[in-house]
Amino acid sequence: DAGVIQSPRHEVTEMGQEVTLRCKPISGHDYLFWYRQTMMRGLELLIYFNNNVPIDDSGMPEDRFSAKMPNASFSTLKIQPSEPRDSAVYFCASRPSGSGNEQFFGPGTRLTVL
Amino acid sequence: SQKIEQNSEALNIQEGKTATLTCNYTNYSPAYLQWYRQDPGRGPVFLLLIRENEKEKRKERLKVTFDTTLKQSLFHITASQPADSATYLCALDHNFNKFYFGSGTKLNVKP
């Protein structure tokens, strides 16, 4: 298995533009998580899905952020409009069912909003 | 919510020594606690999980302890090697499916 795949690896955009980050979880994993990592705030959970259904989006900073999981092998995180404070590394992670199971992280997308 | 504290200062040790990293938390006690390793430019990689009813867990040169009274977990790397240099994150579960991460401690192992 190739592991969790994220694209793009780097994204530079201007304030006000729409940004879409993509994630392909490991096949067979029922849970998918989106995280954001910054020096100031560390690794923060934004939203997670179970069987393609959003379960908890309490970490989504504001309405400019949205996430979808149309099928078991694909998820997107969209920021519209983007702002400089959204600059961070965004990670997608997946894991199989079962409490406490390890999460498998993707390589991350480094987003820079100018 | 959960507050998790890891030493923000880097830990510098000599090769061959034991590295000990600390994870302290407040508020509720988690059912699970995990430790991850993160290298620069990469995503975290799972190392160990310990449950609330376990006091200690070992895996090769790694050892984790979990003291629910002190609300603290210790992560030990014995016979440390320069290749162990990385940032180590602890993560505490919330309702089994959601994990809160600490900010991590950077470990530097010098040859």
Side-chain angles (χ1 to χ4, degrees):
Chain A
D1 201 322
V4 176
I5 299 172
Q6 291 187 248
S7 65
R9 292 295 311 277
H10 302 273
E11 177 81 29
V12 180
T13 190
E14 292 188 348
M15 182 174 63
Q17 296 298 306
E18 177 179 296
V19 175
T20 300
L21 311 181
R22 297 172 176 78
C23 174
K24 176 178 168 54
I26 292 172
S27 177
H29 283 192
D30 298 328
Y31 288 86
L32 183 140
F33 304 82
W34 281 102
Y35 291 88
R36 176 172 69 176
Q37 188 173 41
T38 61
M39 288 293 292
M40 290 294 295
R41 301 176 67 91
L43 193 61
E44 302 174 279
L45 177 65
L46 300 177
I47 185 172
Y48 79 90
F49 296 81
N50 179 216
N51 292 323
N52 314 337
V53 177
I55 303 300
D56 188 336
D57 65 355
S58 59
M60 297 285 261
E62 44 196 277
D63 293 345
R64 297 185 297 107
F65 286 70
S66 63
K68 294 182 179 179
M69 192 164 185
N71 57 61
S73 59
F74 184 66
S75 177
T76 59
L77 178 67
K78 186 176 292 187
I79 308 172
Q80 166 63 19
S82 57
E83 297 182 4
R85 60 191 167 125
D86 301 331
S87 297
V89 181
Y90 291 80
F91 289 103
C92 176
S94 69
R95 73 167 180 82
S97 294
S99 297
N101 283 346
E102 64 180 284
Q103 297 178 65
F104 294 81
F105 282 79
T109 294
R110 180 173 293 278
L111 173 65
T112 302
V113 183
L114 303 174
Chain B
S1 63
Q2 182 70 280
K3 184 177 179 182
I4 304 168
E5 293 181 348
Q6 292 188 259
N7 196 337
S8 59
E9 291 185 13
L11 177 63
N12 299 304
I13 65 168
Q14 206 67 33
E15 181 176 9
K17 301 293 186 183
T18 296
T20 298
L21 307 176
T22 304
C23 176
N24 294 302
Y25 59 93
T26 58
N27 301 335
Y28 67 88
S29 285
Y32 301 89
L33 189 149
Q34 298 180 340
W35 282 89
Y36 287 78
R37 167 183 174 143
Q38 187 172 24
D39 291 285
R42 293 177 175 266
V45 175
F46 172 82
L47 296 174
L48 276 172
L49 175 149
I50 188 166
R51 293 176 172 80
E52 61 177 338
N53 61 348
E54 298 174 322
K55 292 197 179 298
E56 184 179 296
K57 202 79 167 282
R58 291 175 185 262
K59 179 182 177 182
E60 298 173 353
R61 294 186 295 112
L62 309 180
K63 184 178 84 171
V64 173
T65 62
F66 193 6
D67 189 326
T68 55
T69 301
L70 292 179
K71 294 190 175 181
Q72 180 182 79
S73 174
L74 299 179
F75 177 79
H76 307 271
I77 305 175
T78 59
S80 60
Q81 304 166 1
D84 295 326
S85 298
T87 296
Y88 292 86
L89 307 168
C90 68
L92 280 62
D93 87 288
H94 177 69
N95 295 334
F96 302 109
N97 292 320
K98 186 174 172 178
F99 280 81
Y100 290 107
F101 281 79
S103 55
T105 299
K106 187 174 182 180
L107 173 66
N108 296 314
V109 181
K110 300 182 178 181

